[in-house]
Structure formats: structure tokens, C-alpha cells
Amino acid sequence: MPTAAKRNTAILLILCAFHVFAQTQAPDDQEKESESAQLIAVIADPQLAMSVPDYPVTAGDVYDLTFAAGQNSVHVTLPVDTSYRIRVANLGIIRCEGLTYNQLKSRVESLISQNYPMGGPQFMLSKPAVFLVSITGEVVQSTEEKAWALTRLSSFIAPNVTKYSSERNITIVHADGKKNVYDLYKARRDGDFSQNPYLRPGDKIIIGRQDRIVSIQGSVERPGTYELLANENLQELIYGYASGITKTADLSRIRLIRIDDGKERLQKVHYLSEDDVSANIPLVDKDSIFIPDWSDLQPFVELKGVIKNPVTFESELNMNQDANSAMYRTKINFYVSENYASLIRRIENYFTVFSDLKAIFVERNNEEILLDAERILLDMDFESPYQVERNDVIVVPYRPFS
């Protein structure tokens, strides 16, 4: 075969292969474009925009205007470009930067009515603008993503933050060069939506890194993990972030778990008191506070024998099982000067059909005290002659079925 013919054949084969590749790729590309278009359509909802009183006119918006000019019906499409100047037919130009949809609607309709008193203008937003916003800083990756005029900062950054991202130090550099710092915690906790603004074209978001993350658990109203601001310490954590202590909190035995600064970087426990709270001692990153409950110090007795599983609170014994397979033990808090009749009635739900209520007894100082729990539960006026004491052990024997 001549050289030219070979060359032509090779070129033809390459073109055919490219054509086949393009055909196989086209449906995927079209599908991606279709998905992208659907996503934009879902995000940028014109009906939602027109229902929000403060929807801001945005470069890229497309508005539809219909009015009657004498005997003729006029329909005009009004796109908004970056100059924010729209020409309303041949009637005039309106500067719409900084206006809301309702304000622009009022101006357009007023202009039409001045020229056509019977014009009956109808002005609607048909396509809200979609624009790009960049996000950098402490993020999974620096990127640009699509947003529209009702996209709030929190929802935009959510997919791209890391566990080290600060929600309290987020800077937005606006298109005019102005910078604002936002605190999403205040928006979430206090409902201060000025801290969770709508995004605008040209915004550049910079996510800061967390400074101090501390946690608080135990007897507080709102336990959790919080990011502290500068000069915020133990008092602010307890009475601000955690909304204060419960009525049964014990401030004399606060535990502070802190990573030791030594070479091994081990966690170490420090015990704090109410004086430390008053002094508002400083907290450092990764500190963990636990405020115990005074009920933790309540005296207790041991309950053991044929009772329900203290974890699942279910009876796990049947007539075909050995009683030893359903023996459990647990601790029961009691009140000072409490009578055993009161305690037995409080723990009634621990007993099962296999608990021998008549034979329940207390082990105390090498003696056994019969309680007759069946009578206690049947006769609400009955008072036991015995008071509950520390180190008592309540034994619940097995009741055999004949």
C-alpha cells in the first residue's frame, strides 16, 4: 500500500475511534449537565425568592414584565447585569443595585402606570441568579461553589468544613473589598441571623481554625462541646454555654481533665471547687469539665438475687431454667431515715414472678432480717420496723413453681 494511502487510512481510523469515544462519552456529559441544571433549578427557586420580603436584586436575575400599551399587550424580559441598570422597554432606566425585589417591582410598576395608566403591569422574577462563591482557609479543599441570593453562610460551608474549622471566626471578603467576621454559634444559639448572612456575588469566604474547644458534662442544663472565644473561661462555660448548673449539682467536686504538657501528653485529672468557678480559672484547648450531682453521694444498699436484668430491665428467667441463670445485683440509693417499706415499694419493678417476695431478707452484720415484701406491697398502710442502713444487702430468693 502506498505511504499516502497508509497515512490516510491511519487518520481515518483515529477519527473513527474519536467519534466512537465521543459518542460513548456524550450521554454521561449530557447527564451531568442535566443534573447540574436540575440542581440550580432546585436551589434558585423564584417563588421562594418572591415570598421573601428582603430578597435582594442580584446580577444575573431575569425578570418578566407584562403590561398593556393601548390595545397591545407587551411582554419584556429584563435581565440584570453587573451594572445593575435595567431598561424598562423604551420608558426609562432603573438603577436596581441595593434594592429588594419588592422595591424594584414597585418602581417598575410605577413607571409603567405613569406612561400607561391602564397598563395593569405584572412584574415577576422568572430566574433568580446563580453565582460563584469561593471558600478557603481551614476547609477540606479550597474551591468555588454555586450559590444564590438566599444561600446562607452556614449551609454553604457545611459540606467543606473540617473538624478543626472554627464556626466563630469566619471572614467574608465582599466584592467591594470590605471584610466582615461572622460567628455562626451566635446565629445557631441566639437566633442572631445577622451572623449567618445571605451570600452575594463576588464573596470570598475564609474559614479560621479553632482556638479552644472544651467540653462540659454532668449536672448542667446544656452539656456539650463548645468553642470558646478569647477571655472566656470556666464561668462562661458553665453559666453561658452550658446555661448553668442543675439544682442538684455539686460544685465542690468538679473534675477538670486536661492533657498534661509533659512529654507523654497524658490526660490528668484536676479537682476544682466553687472558689475556682468564682475565680474563673483559665481553660485550654481540649479541656473537659465534669460537674457531679450530689445524688452521687447518696448512700446505697446492694440488691441481689432473682431480679430483672438491671441493664435491660427485663425478666430473663423461665420455668425451664436454673434460678442461678437469672441472678443479678445492682445498687439502690436510699434516703436518710428511710423505712424498708418505702424502699421495697420504690424498687417493686425489679421483682419478677420468680422472686419470692415472702422470703426477701436483709443481710446486716452477720444476721438476716426478714422483710415480708409481699405484705409491704399488698398493704399500703404497713410500715416496716426496720430502717435502711449503709452496707445492707437485700437478698431476693428464687420462688419455685411446683
Side-chain angles (χ1 to χ4, degrees):
M1 182 181 292
T3 303
K6 289 182 179 179
R7 187 188 309 117
N8 290 337
T9 301
I11 292 173
L12 181 60
L13 290 173
I14 292 172
L15 289 175
C16 289
F18 179 81
H19 179 66
V20 170
F21 175 79
Q23 283 185 323
T24 58
Q25 294 299 309
D28 290 339
D29 294 340
Q30 291 173 358
E31 186 176 345
K32 289 179 181 178
E33 290 177 4
S34 176
E35 289 176 356
S36 177
Q38 289 176 4
L39 180 60
I40 295 172
V42 171
I43 293 176
D45 185 341
Q47 290 185 333
L48 175 61
M50 289 187 291
S51 71
V52 176
D54 58 350
Y55 176 82
V57 177
T58 304
D61 283 350
V62 178
Y63 295 89
D64 285 339
L65 171 63
T66 303
F67 63 94
Q71 299 298 317
N72 299 319
S73 177
V74 179
H75 177 264
V76 181
T77 299
L78 303 175
V80 179
D81 61 21
T82 55
S83 71
Y84 283 92
R85 295 161 61 91
I86 60 172
R87 178 178 294 278
V88 183
N90 293 319
L91 305 179
I93 294 175
I94 297 177
R95 295 188 61 86
C96 55
E97 187 172 11
L99 299 182
T100 65
Y101 162 72
N102 285 331
Q103 290 170 334
L104 177 59
K105 181 175 185 289
S106 178
R107 293 192 185 186
V108 171
E109 291 178 348
S110 177
L111 181 60
I112 298 300
S113 297
Q114 289 173 13
N115 290 272
Y116 300 99
M118 303 297 291
Q122 298 291 321
F123 183 76
M124 299 180 64
L125 173 61
S126 59
K127 292 182 181 180
V130 175
F131 48 85
L132 292 175
V133 172
S134 69
I135 177 171
T136 59
E138 184 55 54
V139 292
V140 175
Q141 63 178 2
S142 297
T143 185
E144 279 187 324
E145 300 292 345
K146 292 174 182 176
W148 71 302
L150 293 184
T151 301
R152 287 197 181 271
L153 173 63
S154 59
S155 61
F156 183 82
I157 69 171
N160 216 15
V161 297
T162 74
K163 64 180 181 180
Y164 303 108
S165 300
S166 172
E167 69 169 354
R168 318 210 59 182
N169 179 24
I170 303 174
T171 301
I172 297 183
V173 182
H174 303 288
D176 59 4
K178 292 182 180 179
K179 295 182 180 181
N180 293 97
V181 180
Y182 296 97
D183 185 340
L184 289 179
Y185 174 81
K186 290 182 178 179
R188 176 167 53 83
R189 177 71 172 263
D190 303 328
D192 182 359
F193 292 108
S194 67
Q195 297 296 318
N196 188 17
Y198 292 127
L199 300 180
R200 302 298 295 150
D203 280 351
K204 297 179 180 178
I205 301 172
I206 305 171
I207 308 293
R209 189 178 175 88
Q210 298 167 352
D211 180 27
R212 288 180 300 158
I213 297 294
V214 300
S215 65
I216 183 167
Q217 301 295 331
S219 296
V220 291
E221 295 291 340
R222 298 184 72 159
T225 300
Y226 300 99
E227 180 181 355
L228 300 185
L229 297 178
N231 302 319
E232 291 181 336
N233 289 293
L234 185 58
Q235 274 192 11
E236 289 79 16
L237 177 63
I238 295 174
Y239 294 105
Y241 293 91
S243 294
I245 59 176
T246 65
K247 290 182 179 180
T248 55
D250 182 3
L251 294 181
S252 67
R253 300 183 300 120
I254 301 173
R255 295 199 300 270
L256 164 62
I257 309 297
R258 175 172 291 173
I259 298 175
D260 192 3
D261 288 333
K263 292 182 179 180
E264 294 182 346
R265 304 288 291 172
L266 298 176
Q267 288 185 311
K268 184 178 180 181
V269 62
H270 304 264
Y271 293 95
L272 310 179
S273 67
E274 193 166 1
D275 290 339
D276 295 309
V277 178
S278 299
N280 200 21
I281 68 166
L283 298 176
V284 300
D285 189 36
K286 301 298 186 294
D287 275 356
S288 176
I289 297 292
F290 181 83
I291 298 182
D293 196 283
W294 66 263
S295 64
D296 297 339
L297 297 177
Q298 282 290 104
F300 63 87
V301 296
E302 183 179 2
L303 174 67
K304 70 177 184 179
V306 182
I307 59 175
K308 293 178 181 176
N309 185 323
V311 176
T312 64
F313 225 70
E314 295 178 356
S315 177
E316 299 178 356
L317 183 66
N318 60 52
M319 283 189 248
N320 298 320
Q321 285 181 289
D322 180 14
N324 292 327
S325 65
M327 293 287 188
Y328 296 102
R329 61 177 59 205
T330 187
K331 293 179 179 179
I332 302 294
N333 288 111
F334 69 92
Y335 309 115
V336 176
S337 301
E338 185 171 16
N339 184 281
Y340 258 111
S342 167
L343 181 64
I344 291 296
R345 291 175 185 129
R346 282 201 296 112
I347 65 173
E348 177 182 3
N349 289 336
Y350 277 97
F351 304 137
T352 77
V353 294
F354 298 98
S355 302
D356 191 346
L357 300 182
K358 284 188 176 183
I360 292 178
F361 63 91
V362 174
E363 293 178 344
R364 177 188 295 172
N365 298 327
N366 298 320
E367 66 172 316
E368 295 182 357
I369 302 173
L370 187 64
L371 292 181
D372 194 359
E374 185 173 72
R375 181 179 177 186
I376 291 173
L377 295 175
L378 291 175
D379 184 359
M380 298 305 293
D381 294 325
F382 175 74
E383 291 294 330
S384 172
Y386 304 105
Q387 286 192 335
V388 187
E389 296 183 7
R390 290 179 184 270
N391 301 318
D392 279 357
V393 178
I394 305 171
V395 180
V396 183
Y398 171 66
R399 175 191 174 194
F401 280 81
S402 55

